[in-house]
Amino acid sequence: MAFDLKNYEDVQSRVKRFQEAYPMGRIVTEIEHFSADKGYVVVRAECYRDDETTQPAGVDYAYGNVQFYPTHMKRFFIEDTTTSAIGRCISLVLPTELKSTAQDMAR
């Protein structure tokens, strides 16, 4: 049975929907844990509906391990993990059918 990524929304589309829904909103990311020796990173993403709110509307995390990336993508594993955290966080704030993104499922 073939796996169809057409059923999943990519993070870029989620960010665009977030910006349309909350033009004054913001997304904040932070590296919570990083180990170059062990090759992993944990990224936290926070979504705010406006620029005045002090409490985030959504918070989520993503874990990335360089071992799970193909050779040509290994140098981007932190960026990819950050993108995943953003997509997961937005799914808590905006209506969506699936929490997983196309990027998550492609891996």
Side-chain angles (χ1 to χ4, degrees):
M1 182 164 131
F3 182 73
D4 187 6
L5 289 176
K6 292 178 186 174
N7 296 323
Y8 296 91
E9 183 179 26
D10 66 16
V11 175
Q12 181 178 356
S13 296
R14 287 186 184 186
V15 170
K16 184 177 179 181
R17 284 195 313 120
F18 180 81
Q19 291 170 334
E20 289 171 354
Y22 305 107
M24 300 302 291
R26 63 193 194 281
I27 301 168
V28 178
T29 60
E30 181 178 340
I31 294 177
E32 291 276 312
H33 302 283
F34 174 70
S35 173
D37 295 338
K38 295 180 181 177
Y40 77 89
V41 66
V42 176
V43 177
R44 173 187 170 110
E46 299 176 348
C47 293
Y48 297 81
R49 291 186 176 107
D50 58 50
D51 59 348
E52 296 178 4
T53 307
T54 59
Q55 295 296 315
V59 176
D60 213 329
Y61 297 82
Y63 170 82
N65 190 313
V66 73
Q67 296 176 25
F68 301 130
Y69 286 82
T71 302
H72 70 283
M73 291 293 296
K74 288 188 185 295
R75 65 182 176 158
F76 301 111
F77 90 100
I78 294 174
E79 292 88 339
D80 185 67
T81 305
T82 302
T83 299
S84 294
I86 290 169
R88 293 173 58 81
C89 186
I90 290 173
S91 73
L92 298 174
V93 179
L94 292 178
T96 186
E97 302 236 345
L98 297 169
K99 189 168 186 173
S100 298
T101 64
Q103 288 88 344
D104 291 335
M105 298 310 293
R107 281 196 304 247

